[in-house]
Amino acid sequence: MDVLRDPLGNDDPPRQTVISIGNFDGVHIGHQAVLSHVVDRAQTAGTTAVAMTFDPHPIKLLRPNEAPRLVTTLDQRLALIERTGIQTTLVLPFTHRLARMEATEFVRDVLVDRLAVREVYIGKNFRFGADRRGDVALLKSMGQNLGFEAAAAPIVEAAGDVVSSTRVRQAITIGNAEEVAQLLGRWLFIDGRVLEGKRLGRTLGFPTLNIEVENEIEPNHGVYVTVVNIPSFDRSFAAVTNIGVRPTVYQNSVTTVESHLLDFTADVYQEKVRLFFLKRLREERAFSSTMQLMTQIRSDVEATREYFAVNPVEGLELILP
């Protein structure tokens, strides 16, 4: 997939394309549906399938205190968009100048003059242009006069409600890994680098990888059945992961992500890994002694082994870096 990061400047974007515009955070099953539709329409028309997204997220620039914590980094988002079959993604730098552009001006100057689009698809609730005045109705109206077609993206529901990035974030926040997987159409993953920690897990008999997370959002504090992919080993390993402040020992104010890999002891400090969340086992809680903590960790490890006895790592569909 071609990625153009200056499509309104020095880059030379494709013209006469079928395009979808959106933030696409998480690239959930609703996003996948519209992007796949764009791919199908482009194939029928014999042209290029294009996605247009923004960096940073518009709310981060306009109302930073209200900005959502994003499900995916930009690189993750682009890789997930590519999996849908999109051929070119335009990453528009979201600036105050772009934010002030009237919706009608955006349609004429960007979609028509710059890109000469054939068809445009956006989410029913997606808004663009100054004061968010641009919507599907505006695109349809202007398209009739300017020579392109426009339509709302198909609405996708799961468990009786519309799939959205907001709903995905809510499920992540409460640690519902199974619901997140249903909404994303994949296991939730986060990327991060392994740091050298205080080796507390090793002293307890359960060495852990201390992961410095790149993603803005991570599941709620608790203990999870997980898989850790380590590219240098070209393997994915069953793991039990704790997210929290380690209240029994340190009572940190900073959240840590620590994964104990089953039957794995090698040092992988400074390596970048991908951590997949499959199931929440329990909440994080303080124990009255390290002995009680060790007993609970043994129970968590046993529950994790039981999970993977039924769901072997090798049989899981994992999106690897």
Side-chain angles (χ1 to χ4, degrees):
M1 181 181 75
D2 294 327
V3 177
L4 304 184
R5 298 173 186 265
D6 188 22
L8 305 186
N10 294 324
D11 290 335
D12 186 19
R15 293 169 61 84
Q16 295 290 324
T17 64
V18 180
I19 189 171
S20 181
I21 308 170
N23 293 307
F24 302 119
D25 183 34
V27 194
H28 55 61
I29 58 176
H31 297 143
Q32 293 168 37
V34 65
L35 293 172
S36 295
H37 182 69
V38 165
V39 171
D40 291 342
R41 292 295 304 151
Q43 289 176 343
T44 299
T47 189
T48 305
V50 175
M52 177 186 289
T53 190
F54 306 93
D55 183 54
H57 192 289
I59 299 179
K60 283 193 173 185
L61 182 76
L62 301 176
R63 301 187 303 280
N65 293 335
E66 302 174 23
R69 291 185 297 158
L70 300 184
V71 178
T72 45
T73 66
L74 177 59
D75 286 344
Q76 291 168 356
R77 192 192 331 168
L78 293 173
L80 291 167
I81 289 173
E82 183 175 15
R83 288 173 58 85
T84 68
I86 290 291
Q87 295 162 288
T88 300
T89 295
L90 311 178
V91 182
L92 266 65
F94 195 82
T95 62
H96 286 289
R97 181 175 180 275
L98 184 61
R100 290 192 298 267
M101 183 180 288
E102 293 293 338
T104 53
E105 181 185 0
F106 180 84
V107 173
R108 290 194 182 94
D109 291 358
V110 178
L111 298 184
V112 177
D113 293 346
R114 181 67 170 165
L115 302 178
V117 295
R118 290 189 183 183
E119 300 176 28
V120 183
Y121 297 91
I122 65 172
K124 182 179 179 181
N125 296 321
F126 182 76
R127 299 292 184 269
F128 63 93
D131 298 321
R132 304 179 74 247
R133 284 193 283 263
D135 58 9
V136 175
L138 177 71
L139 284 172
K140 287 182 177 180
S141 174
M142 294 188 69
Q144 291 176 352
N145 297 322
L146 297 174
F148 66 87
E149 297 181 15
I155 294 176
V156 176
E157 295 188 356
D161 203 354
V162 175
V163 177
S164 68
S165 296
T166 298
R167 188 177 168 196
V168 172
R169 294 185 197 107
Q170 291 170 342
I172 293 173
T173 299
I174 64 174
N176 191 336
E178 291 94 336
E179 181 183 2
V180 175
Q182 183 182 17
L183 299 176
L184 294 179
R186 60 174 176 85
W187 300 112
L188 172 69
F189 64 77
I190 58 178
D191 292 334
R193 196 165 301 280
V194 179
L195 302 180
E196 187 166 2
K198 298 183 178 180
R199 298 178 180 264
L200 171 65
R202 192 178 299 275
T203 63
L204 297 176
F206 300 95
T208 61
L209 305 186
N210 189 339
I211 302 173
E212 183 182 45
V213 177
E214 293 180 3
N215 294 68
E216 294 181 5
I217 193 170
E218 58 203 26
N220 191 27
H221 290 186
V223 178
Y224 295 83
V225 174
T226 55
V227 171
V228 178
N229 177 260
I230 305 178
S232 64
F233 281 76
D234 195 26
R235 277 189 59 191
S236 297
F237 299 87
V240 55
T241 296
N242 183 82
I243 299 180
V245 295
R246 298 185 288 189
T248 302
V249 181
Y250 289 118
Q251 297 182 346
N252 290 342
S253 59
V254 177
T255 297
T256 60
V257 178
E258 297 177 291
S259 296
H260 170 66
L261 279 60
L262 308 188
D263 309 314
F264 179 87
T265 57
D267 287 337
V268 288
Y269 296 129
Q270 297 305 315
E271 289 203 37
K272 188 173 178 179
V273 300
R274 176 161 288 181
L275 176 61
F276 298 86
F277 292 86
L278 279 58
K279 179 181 179 180
R280 190 170 196 256
L281 290 177
R282 62 175 177 86
E283 76 286 353
E284 183 185 45
R285 58 180 182 267
F287 296 91
S288 59
S289 67
T290 55
M291 188 62 68
Q292 285 190 356
L293 173 61
M294 291 171 63
T295 299
Q296 182 60 61
I297 293 175
R298 290 191 189 96
S299 178
D300 296 336
V301 169
E302 182 58 31
T304 300
R305 289 191 185 279
E306 290 175 0
Y307 181 94
F308 287 110
V310 178
N311 307 280
V313 172
E314 295 76 16
L316 299 174
E317 294 185 12
L318 303 174
I319 298 176
L320 302 182

